[in-house]
Amino acid sequence: MYLLLRNLKRLALPSSCRFISNYVSRMRHLFDLKENDEACRKALSSGSFLLFHSLSPLMQKTENKYTVPFVTASELYRILRKLGQKEKYLEESVLLGCTDSYLAQFALDLGIMEKAKAESLLQGTFVDLRKAFLLLDGKNAQMLSQAQALLRWHNTHLYCSKTGHPMQKNVSGSRRICSSNGTIYYPQMSPVIITLVSDGTRCLLARQEAFPSGMYSALAGFCDIGETVEQAVHREVAEEVGLEVSSSKYAASQHWPFPNSSLMIASHAMVQPGQIKITLNQFELEDARWFGAEELAEALRRERMPSKNEMGTIPFWIPPPWTIAHQLIKEWTQQKQLC
Ligand SMILES: NC(=O)C1=CN([C@@H]2O[C@H](COP(=O)(O)OP(=O)(O)OC[C@H]3O[C@@H](n4cnc5c(N)ncnc54)[C@H](O)[C@@H]3O)[C@@H](O)[C@H]2O)C=CC1
Ligand SMILES: [Mg+2]
């Protein structure tokens, strides 16, 4: 509470501001931690940590389910000592957020330490995020997505691209600064469109070769420099399935950690009347098909990725409920069933 009052004072809230919600005061607290190295250093010593090893998050597996543990600062100090590291290593962490009670949450990569020893001390396993991502629940997936993206950005921006000199991160990890000329770099993400194309009665889902067996999703693609989101939707649909979109409507957005750090911008799109013949771009996609509302309603009812049937094949399934692709499919199906 002391910390909160001190921070609110620093932010000079107007005296007319008698009441501020927990959300607003948390966001002000986080702003202070991002900007103020000393405040963030203090928060490190009482914070909680998501741990990674070479960008693979620490997980504990129980009955086919992954849980993602937060480790307290005191526990982490103990483990760092056992791994032969100084407490100062904690400052390699990046700030993720804070809990309702203002406990700061960080992510730290232990990649320079011995992996097997760290796993044994932490009683968990460092798992490739790509393999575990679709098995996570929404809250854990979102946190790991943010944490891995930030850690990766720092890991790949050690030197200034202008001067070639080393860069230092501020304590929270909200930026890096060139040690030679002071240029500031901020973490970046790529805008990606994801769109559910409909012809009015059915909608189009596709799969890439790299998708897990049987999974189909909405069309997605990176925005080109200079494009609007609407232009990217038109171009990607034309490029990938050879159809022309007549209109698109924004639905929602979601951070996505692959291949680096993407902001998925989701929309519903309609094709020009009568344009239903799919011409597949085989460089990008393995298959694309039109699906009806009933088939999608059945896929939405499945709780997790199905196992092989009697024929030895995995039936059609869609990404899990917390993904933006699932949300688009659910919205479209519900709207069709109401018609
Ligand atoms: N949430 C979901 O259900 C889905 C998410 N996605 C995600 O959407 C993103 C984009 O989808 P794709 O079909 O792969 O994109 P895409 O259709 O634009 O094709 C990928 C190609 O675009 C090029 N490219 C252009 N800008 C790029 C950049 N900034 N980073 C990497 N490659 C770039 C590369 O040549 C790459 O091979 C991926 O990160 C993928 O993980 C894709 C499908 C479903
Ligand atoms: Mg694509």
Side-chain angles (χ1 to χ4, degrees):
M1 187 49 83
Y2 160 74
L3 207 65
L4 172 65
L5 291 175
R6 196 199 62 192
N7 290 333
L8 293 182
K9 216 167 156 189
R10 186 181 289 134
L11 287 164
L13 288 177
S15 54
S16 58
C17 215
R18 287 223 194 109
F19 170 81
I20 59 169
S21 69
N22 177 271
Y23 173 76
V24 172
S25 56
R26 275 190 298 123
M27 293 308 109
R28 297 278 170 97
H29 177 52
L30 277 176
F31 177 80
D32 192 42
L33 295 186
K34 276 188 219 158
E35 297 302 310
N36 181 327
D37 281 355
E38 213 31 62
C40 195
R41 211 168 266 124
K42 274 196 189 131
L44 276 171
S45 62
S46 57
S48 61
F49 297 78
L50 285 179
L51 298 178
F52 287 70
H53 192 283
S54 307
L55 298 178
S56 294
L58 179 76
M59 296 194 190
Q60 288 160 341
K61 198 172 180 190
T62 40
E63 294 167 9
N64 250 348
K65 209 177 153 221
Y66 286 111
T67 54
V68 181
F70 265 104
V71 175
T72 62
S74 55
E75 177 67 358
L76 190 51
Y77 282 136
R78 191 181 68 77
I79 284 160
L80 286 179
R81 274 194 297 275
K82 290 199 170 172
L83 289 166
Q85 286 297 322
K86 298 213 166 74
E87 291 185 358
K88 183 88 178 151
Y89 191 76
L90 232 62
E91 288 193 23
E92 297 300 314
S93 305
V94 292
L95 177 69
L96 300 176
C98 74
T99 64
D100 284 352
S101 48
Y102 305 92
L103 179 74
Q105 294 167 312
F106 298 91
L108 177 64
D109 197 306
L110 306 181
I112 60 163
M113 295 163 221
E114 199 190 318
K115 186 175 164 199
K117 196 167 176 196
E119 287 180 329
S120 137
L121 288 167
L122 291 158
Q123 297 176 342
T125 314
F126 294 107
V127 180
D128 181 350
L129 190 57
R130 270 196 186 271
K131 288 192 183 136
F133 202 56
L134 293 182
L135 300 173
L136 294 170
D137 64 34
K139 196 162 158 255
N140 282 330
Q142 202 186 335
M143 255 173 6
L144 290 184
S145 165
Q146 177 198 6
Q148 195 207 45
L150 252 182
L151 289 171
R152 178 186 279 114
W153 182 80
H154 282 281
N155 190 250
T156 51
H157 290 78
L158 301 176
Y159 299 95
C160 174
S161 57
K162 225 183 257 171
T163 67
H165 281 86
M167 292 210 286
Q168 260 89 49
K169 86 174 195 24
N170 65 342
V171 179
S172 69
S174 64
R175 56 182 173 257
R176 293 185 81 86
I177 301 129
C178 171
S179 57
S180 155
N181 69 359
T183 305
I184 299 174
Y185 293 79
Y186 294 96
Q188 289 163 343
M189 50 189 178
S190 306
V192 170
I193 61 90
I194 178 161
T195 190
L196 189 64
V197 173
S198 169
D199 70 348
T201 53
R202 297 165 305 164
C203 72
L204 194 151
L205 299 182
R207 57 171 281 109
Q208 299 176 7
E209 204 182 346
F211 281 8
S213 297
M215 190 185 92
Y216 281 71
S217 188
L219 297 177
F222 291 93
C223 295
D224 280 348
I225 294 227
E227 262 181 346
T228 63
V229 167
E230 291 77 7
Q231 286 167 339
V233 168
H234 277 66
R235 178 185 51 76
E236 278 294 330
V237 174
E239 265 178 27
E240 298 200 344
V241 291
L243 294 169
E244 200 166 328
V245 160
S246 57
S247 64
S248 65
K249 193 163 175 252
Y250 173 78
S253 64
Q254 177 176 56
H255 183 258
W256 194 251
F258 312 120
N260 290 307
S261 176
S262 308
L263 177 64
M264 309 283 301
I265 304 159
S267 61
H268 290 279
M270 293 289 292
V271 283
Q272 303 275 11
Q275 279 212 19
I276 51 167
K277 190 174 174 327
I278 297 168
T279 325
L280 201 65
N281 180 338
Q282 287 170 335
F283 289 107
E284 301 257 344
L285 297 174
E286 188 184 74
D287 190 26
R289 280 167 43 199
W290 292 104
F291 291 82
E294 269 178 34
E295 204 174 354
L296 293 179
E298 197 186 320
L300 286 163
R301 279 194 293 272
R302 290 200 194 104
E303 282 194 357
R304 51 178 58 235
M305 84 174 70
S307 38
K308 282 185 183 163
N309 57 24
E310 319 80 62
M311 321 269 286
T313 53
I314 295 182
F316 151 71
W317 59 287
I318 56 174
W322 51 265
T323 61
I324 200 122
H326 187 104
Q327 186 183 326
L328 286 173
I329 295 166
K330 190 171 177 183
E331 281 169 4
W332 184 87
T333 307
Q334 282 175 344
Q335 207 222 340
K336 281 291 135 209
Q337 287 178 331
L338 289 177
C339 292

